[in-house]
Amino acid sequence: MKNSDGIPHRRLVLYTDDPVLALGAANVLSSMPQLEVLTSEPGLSRLCPFVEQVQPDVILLDTSPEMTLGFLSTLRRTAPDARLILWGRSF
């Protein structure tokens, strides 16, 4: 999909359980005209239904101990065409 300027447009779901990180990352990513940044409410249980509803092109995930391979497999089945990008933080 392209926006009105002819630039390829991608829908990106940003997930993190850290509200400060979510706000900062959303502000930076939203400055890119080719991205529509969508944020999910905190809580992994809400992420799959949200992703199923919006069908993003990219899912950017801040990993957490609760994020298992089983969860990632379910997320992949929910949005099979989306690219998954994982990032981890040191605590």
Side-chain angles (χ1 to χ4, degrees):
M1 181 187 303
K2 294 187 178 187
N3 65 16
S4 60
D5 296 328
I7 297 171
H9 178 82
R10 303 283 182 252
R11 293 169 58 89
L12 180 141
V13 166
L14 170 64
Y15 176 81
T16 179
D17 58 2
D18 181 330
V20 174
L21 182 59
L23 183 61
N27 282 337
V28 170
L29 293 168
S30 292
S31 70
M32 304 170 128
Q34 68 270 28
L35 290 179
E36 176 185 359
V37 179
L38 308 165
T39 56
S40 173
E41 292 181 34
L44 287 178
S45 64
R46 295 182 180 107
L47 184 59
C48 282
F50 181 72
V51 164
E52 186 172 33
Q53 177 186 359
V54 300
Q55 288 297 307
D57 301 296
V58 179
I59 304 169
L60 182 58
L61 296 164
D62 178 16
T63 58
S64 67
E66 297 84 30
M67 194 173 293
T68 65
L69 290 176
F71 173 79
L72 293 173
S73 178
T74 299
L75 187 59
R76 168 56 63 210
R77 285 191 305 275
T78 302
D81 296 326
R83 292 190 173 142
L84 295 179
I85 301 172
L86 307 176
W87 93 82
R89 294 180 280 146
S90 298
F91 295 98

